[in-house]
């Protein structure tokens, strides 16, 4: 069983993590020859470990839950501070990237408010609880560090990489072009998809007759997990902005983040959520046969699509 966690502990975890990386940043700059992008990666891992420490002490892995939305905001300004022209120079493309990142994060914070900020945590995410029941305590917390803390942090860090390179260009950034417009539209579309999907699901939960009912209206008619689809679309749009800046052509490895996220959601998150829904939702086996697992796609009975 997980422990209850007060909102004061949740706030302390995030404030401590951000203060630690802010204090460590100048020390890292002085003590290593790593470039700013690599230093940001190190600091992100450090912040994740700090939050993990609070999860461990509180005996509740859900302390980490919104951190994957908090860390990119800090990293965005960290990378901006290392760009030619300095922190206070804002080139159009990097400004668009920062605005999109904040819109993405704020939508998450507002659309899916975390109880840790207000009332504290009274339960733990069911996915964590499932593994907690299968592993001894030491094994569970080692697994929690690798899978529930570091894995999502590193996935988002990989997806953030093209944006990081855009922010690091500063005054050296090339002019805006038509590909930037595509990137903004795709990223904005991802935010909208997530917001609409979450809103439709919330309305369905308020109006359903039974907790065993399955939402199959709106975007949920076209995808079993449209919120996951929107998340992947958002980071794909960020990748397009990295392409428009020339960063991806200079460093092709930057392109790996968005495909990794698509693969993670399709082959890890979707099967896990579907297995739970099969146990808890009436008729979900029929939904699985007709509704796309991830992509928004017209439903077809008897046909499974990605």
């Amino acid at each position: 069983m997980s422990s209850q966690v007060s909102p004061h502990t949740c706030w302390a975890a995030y404030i401590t993590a951000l203060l630690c990386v802010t204090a460590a940043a100048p020390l890292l700059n002085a003590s290593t020859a790593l470039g700013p992008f690599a230093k940001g990666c190190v600091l992100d891992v450090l912040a994740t470990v700090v939050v993990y420490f609070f999860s461990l002490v509180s005996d509740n892995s859900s302390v980490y839950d919104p951190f994957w939305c908090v860390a990119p905001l800090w990293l965005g300004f960290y990378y901006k501070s290392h760009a030619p022209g300095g922190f206070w120079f804002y080139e159009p493309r990097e400004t668009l990237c920062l605005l999109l990142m904040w819109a993405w994060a704020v939508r998450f914070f507002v659309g899916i408010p975390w109880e840790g900020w207000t009332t504290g945590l009274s339960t733990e995410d069911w996915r964590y609880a499932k593994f907690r029941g299968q592993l001894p305590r030491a094994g569970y917390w080692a697994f929690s560090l690798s899978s529930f803390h570091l894995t999502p942090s590193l996935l988002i860090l990989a997806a953030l990489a093209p944006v990081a390179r855009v922010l690091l260009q500063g005054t050296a950034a090339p002019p805006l072009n038509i590909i930037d417009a595509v990137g903004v539209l795709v990223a904005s579309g991802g935010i909208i998809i997530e917001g609409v999907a979450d809103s439709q699901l919330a309305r369905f939960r308020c109006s359903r007759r039974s907790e065993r009912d399955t939402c199959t209206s709106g975007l949920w008619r076209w995808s079993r997990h449209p919120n996951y689809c929107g998340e992947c679309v958002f980071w794909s749009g960020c990748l397009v902005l990295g392409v428009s800046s020339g960063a991806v052509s200079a460093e092709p490895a930057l392109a790996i983040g968005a495909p990794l996220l698509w693969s993670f959601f399709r082959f890890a998150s979707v099967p896990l959520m579907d297995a739970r829904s099969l146990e808890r939702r009436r008729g979900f086996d029929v939904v699985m046969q007709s509704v796309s697992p991830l992509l928004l796609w017209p439903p077809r009975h008897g046909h499974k699509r990605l």
Side-chain angles (χ1 to χ4, degrees), residues 5-162:
V5 185
S6 72
H8 303 292
T9 300
C10 294
W11 278 99
Y14 284 74
I15 291 172
T16 302
L18 295 179
L19 287 176
C20 283
V21 292
T22 301
L27 299 176
L28 191 63
N29 292 339
S31 62
T32 72
L34 295 174
F37 177 72
K39 290 174 184 174
C41 296
V42 171
L43 293 169
D44 184 57
V45 171
L46 172 61
T48 301
V49 171
V50 172
V51 174
Y52 168 77
F53 173 79
F54 279 86
S55 294
L56 176 62
V57 171
S58 303
D59 195 28
N60 193 317
S61 293
S62 281
V63 171
Y64 173 85
D65 283 354
F67 185 72
W68 59 274
C69 268
V70 174
L73 302 181
W74 185 90
L75 283 171
F77 288 113
Y78 173 78
Y79 288 132
K80 183 69 200 77
S81 69
H82 285 78
F87 184 83
W88 298 108
F89 173 83
Y90 284 82
E91 178 268 336
R93 185 180 294 104
E94 64 189 13
T95 302
L96 289 172
C97 286
L98 288 171
L99 289 174
L100 285 167
M101 285 173 54
W102 276 87
W104 162 77
V106 169
R107 186 223 63 84
F108 178 82
F109 297 142
V110 174
I112 311 177
W114 187 48
E115 62 180 358
W117 301 128
T118 52
T119 61
L121 302 175
S122 57
T123 59
E124 189 176 42
D125 187 285
W126 65 269
R127 286 162 288 201
Y128 308 155
K130 177 181 178 180
F131 286 97
R132 181 189 286 271
Q134 298 172 351
L135 297 169
R137 177 177 171 80
Y140 168 75
W141 281 107
F143 186 79
S144 179
L145 174 61
S146 63
S147 299
F148 302 149
H149 290 75
L150 289 175
T151 293
S153 285
L154 293 176
L155 280 171
I156 294 298
L157 188 62
L160 181 68

Side-chain angles (χ1 to χ4, degrees), residues 105-295:
V106 169
R107 186 223 63 84
F108 178 82
F109 297 142
V110 174
I112 311 177
W114 187 48
E115 62 180 358
W117 301 128
T118 52
T119 61
L121 302 175
S122 57
T123 59
E124 189 176 42
D125 187 285
W126 65 269
R127 286 162 288 201
Y128 308 155
K130 177 181 178 180
F131 286 97
R132 181 189 286 271
Q134 298 172 351
L135 297 169
R137 177 177 171 80
Y140 168 75
W141 281 107
F143 186 79
S144 179
L145 174 61
S146 63
S147 299
F148 302 149
H149 290 75
L150 289 175
T151 293
S153 285
L154 293 176
L155 280 171
I156 294 298
L157 188 62
L160 181 68
V163 172
R165 285 304 188 193
V166 169
L167 296 174
L168 286 168
Q169 287 179 331
T171 54
L176 291 176
N177 55 69
I178 189 63
I179 301 178
D180 289 297
V182 175
V184 170
L185 287 174
V186 172
S188 300
I191 296 171
I192 292 170
I193 291 171
E194 288 185 286
V196 171
D198 288 340
S199 177
Q200 290 173 340
L201 183 60
R203 288 198 300 271
F204 168 78
R205 286 174 172 171
C206 290
S207 62
R208 65 185 174 183
R209 296 180 180 180
S210 167
E211 289 190 359
R212 288 180 56 81
D213 290 343
T214 300
C215 182
T216 55
S217 59
L219 296 179
W220 298 86
R221 175 176 169 79
W222 292 63
S223 171
R224 300 202 298 272
H225 304 280
N227 47 348
Y228 290 169
C229 179
E231 182 70 15
C232 294
V233 169
F234 169 75
W235 290 109
S236 298
C238 292
L239 172 58
V240 174
L241 288 166
V243 171
S244 70
S245 71
V248 173
S249 60
E251 297 179 81
L254 295 176
I256 197 173
L260 273 178
L261 271 185
W262 280 102
S263 298
F264 179 81
F265 278 113
R266 177 61 184 89
F267 300 110
S269 296
V270 166
L272 191 63
M273 293 296 292
D274 284 352
R276 179 174 170 82
S277 293
L278 280 171
E279 297 175 354
R280 296 164 55 90
R281 307 296 178 206
R282 184 186 301 112
F284 193 77
D285 55 335
V286 177
V287 172
M288 288 187 67
Q289 294 174 7
S290 60
V291 180
S292 163
L294 184 58
L295 290 177

